[in-house]
Amino acid sequence: MNPTTELIHSIPVDPLTGSISVPIYQTSTFVQDEPGVHKGYDYARSNNPTRAVLENIIARLEYGSNGYAFASGLAAIDAVVKLLRSGDEILAVDDIYGGAFRLFTHIYKKLGINVRYVDTTDAQNVADAISPATRLIWLETPTNPTLKISDIEAIADIAHANNLLLCVDNTFASPALQQPIKLGADIVVHSATKYLGGHSDLIAGLVVTRTPELGEQIKFIQNASGAILSPHDSWLVIRGIETLHLRVKEHSRNALAVAKYLQAHPAVKDVYYPGLTTHHNHEIAIEQQSAGGGVVSFTLHEDTEEAAKQFVCSTQLFKLAESLGGVKSLVCHPATMTHKSIPAGKRQAAGVVDSLIRLSVGLEDAGDLVADVEHALRNVMEGDNLENATINAQWLNG
Ligand SMILES: Cc1ncc(COP(=O)(O)O)c(C=O)c1O
């Protein structure tokens, strides 16, 4: 059976009522027949039937053994780091999501967990960086926001040869395009806020483990720390997943059209998109991803915050907002938005330069999206004054 058909029909019909939509069990507790004798559920932090459906679906989608749903992507990341103890070290991709950097630096460093950042686009750099304290390798591929690609299979081999865990943040590709556990990863995390939810209407995170043993450890942390996903938001993610494959295919098609347009534009310096043959690790990308995904980033020849702001305040269909992966296109200026918590020197060294712009290419018509980008780039080239562009954007945003 085709995986999409299998996925759609793996979402269970409610055995009690026949409801085709998964019921939302909006309850805090469950009545027991005798102490400890119940129908598999005792308290809704520990488990909830709606959340359990989502957790089973994501485990299946990612080819893992166990899945767990959290209140945000960062809560999911936090649960994985809690597998470690003081004195342990993480080797992480250098172009890491800013919120993960903030969590590692400002929460876990003072608890004795050290993080070293490596350019993981070359697997040899990872092998060379391992120290006796290293316990966990942390990848995002593609990365946020410069779409760097790392070879999951090669790095999984390095991790296992050194008795380390490999965790992959699969938010950007989503399981519709890439399944890291099949390539050797031990843990996958998601900001389900993005493509899995898919409609910019919730905040959620997921963890999937390769083995039941690791799953039990995450389950313990989930229950002990308590950052669970609510029944209603679990239901929203389930509903998003029903159309995931369809959406991500279309996001990727639109993003490739926008990336190709940007590549030919005289105001644009570099375009980062794994689906372009010019991408540094395009060969690895097409080996491990079935399409390029919906995010395109680019820099301007005029590498200034002002020029980038001119662009992001001039688009009309691409709304200026953090986040990505929704139906509506979004534009973001990482240096002053998602990645502002990373010190300027470190940020620039990882490629997040002042003019870098990130587009989350939505499901509108590709021609309309290209026309919107064209219009905004014209404003950049003509150096329209920013005040007018901002007024424009405010007016459009209502
Ligand atoms: C790659 C990646 N991982 C994790 C997160 C954190 O997810 P959340 O915002 O759901 O906490 C984000 C958020 O943008 C992200 O882009």
Side-chain angles (χ1 to χ4, degrees):
M1 200 189 287
N2 179 286
T4 311
T5 314
E6 202 185 326
L7 163 74
I8 291 171
H9 285 272
S10 71
I11 301 171
V13 170
D14 177 41
L16 271 184
T17 61
S19 166
I20 195 135
S21 170
V22 174
I24 301 173
Y25 284 89
Q26 191 68 49
T27 185
S28 60
T29 193
F30 302 84
V31 175
Q32 308 192 10
D33 298 332
E34 296 172 24
V37 179
H38 50 71
K39 298 178 174 61
Y41 299 93
D42 54 2
Y43 186 61
R45 172 169 24 77
S46 309
N47 218 336
N48 174 285
T50 315
R51 198 175 87 219
V53 170
L54 170 61
E55 293 179 334
N56 289 335
I57 294 169
I58 192 63
R60 199 167 167 152
L61 263 179
E62 286 288 7
Y63 294 85
S65 64
N66 300 45
Y68 299 98
F70 291 85
S72 68
L74 269 175
I77 293 172
D78 182 66
V80 175
V81 181
K82 283 178 174 150
L83 291 168
L84 305 185
R85 57 187 69 216
S86 177
D88 289 349
E89 178 187 83
I90 303 173
L91 283 185
V93 56
D94 56 2
D95 178 34
I96 198 165
Y97 165 61
F101 179 85
R102 182 178 53 209
L103 176 73
F104 293 164
T105 310
H106 296 290
I107 306 285
Y108 281 104
K109 197 167 179 201
K110 68 178 183 231
L111 299 177
I113 293 171
N114 190 37
V115 183
R116 280 192 296 129
Y117 295 91
V118 188
D119 176 3
T120 57
T121 57
D122 180 349
Q124 190 56 42
N125 292 342
V126 179
D128 294 345
I130 292 169
S131 82
T134 310
R135 294 285 170 270
L136 176 64
I137 297 173
W138 194 280
L139 293 184
E140 275 176 38
T141 179
T143 58
N144 180 5
T146 61
L147 287 300
K148 285 184 182 168
I149 298 290
S150 299
D151 186 335
I152 298 174
E153 198 164 18
I155 295 174
D157 288 345
I158 292 167
H160 299 146
N162 290 276
N163 212 12
L164 310 176
L165 291 173
L166 171 62
C167 179
V168 178
D169 184 331
N170 201 25
T171 299
F172 266 45
S174 93
L177 301 184
Q178 169 175 277
Q179 302 94 28
I181 289 177
K182 269 184 150 174
L183 300 169
D186 301 286
I187 304 171
V188 166
V189 299
H190 279 284
S191 169
T193 313
K194 313 291 165 21
Y195 290 102
L196 289 163
H199 295 77
S200 308
D201 53 9
L202 65 99
I203 299 286
L206 298 165
V207 177
V208 180
T209 61
R210 165 197 285 284
T211 64
E213 293 73 27
L214 257 180
E216 280 312 308
Q217 293 179 52
I218 295 290
K219 169 84 194 155
F220 181 85
I221 293 165
Q222 183 196 40
N223 187 46
S225 292
I228 47 141
L229 192 63
S230 75
H232 185 255
D233 286 345
S234 297
W235 180 83
L236 278 172
V237 180
I238 295 167
R239 195 178 61 160
I241 287 176
E242 286 179 340
T243 56
L244 176 74
H245 288 75
L246 204 62
R247 284 186 287 105
V248 171
K249 212 187 279 177
E250 201 57 25
H251 280 297
S252 299
R253 208 197 311 260
N254 279 356
L256 184 61
V258 170
K260 284 186 172 163
Y261 174 81
L262 285 167
Q263 212 173 23
H265 199 284
V268 173
K269 185 160 178 258
D270 295 309
V271 181
Y272 303 110
Y273 185 65
L276 292 175
T277 51
T278 48
H279 185 282
H280 172 62
N281 271 347
H282 176 68
E283 295 306 318
I284 298 171
I286 56 174
E287 274 290 305
Q288 65 190 19
Q289 291 180 218
S290 56
V295 179
V296 180
S297 293
F298 65 100
T299 60
L300 300 168
H301 281 296
E302 191 188 333
D303 185 29
T304 61
E305 271 187 33
E306 289 67 34
K309 279 187 181 160
Q310 179 89 55
F311 180 91
V312 301
C313 294
S314 297
T315 52
Q316 300 178 6
L317 297 176
F318 285 89
K319 302 292 185 200
L320 179 61
E322 306 211 355
S323 203
L324 56 105
V327 168
K328 286 185 183 167
S329 292
L330 300 178
V331 60
C332 155
H333 180 229
T336 56
M337 294 168 73
T338 49
H339 287 61
K340 65 170 180 273
S341 57
I342 301 183
K346 209 172 188 60
R347 165 173 68 70
Q348 283 159 351
V352 188
V353 296
D354 292 350
S355 69
L356 186 83
I357 293 162
R358 187 187 76 189
L359 300 175
S360 169
V361 182
L363 301 182
E364 302 90 339
D365 175 76
D368 290 339
L369 294 176
V370 167
D372 196 30
V373 168
E374 183 180 17
H375 156 80
L377 283 173
R378 200 176 314 123
N379 267 2
V380 172
M381 288 183 79
E382 287 169 1
D384 268 9
N385 84 44
L386 185 58
E387 248 169 57
N388 283 346
T390 309
I391 290 164
N392 242 345
Q394 280 165 355
W395 175 76
L396 280 157
N397 289 333

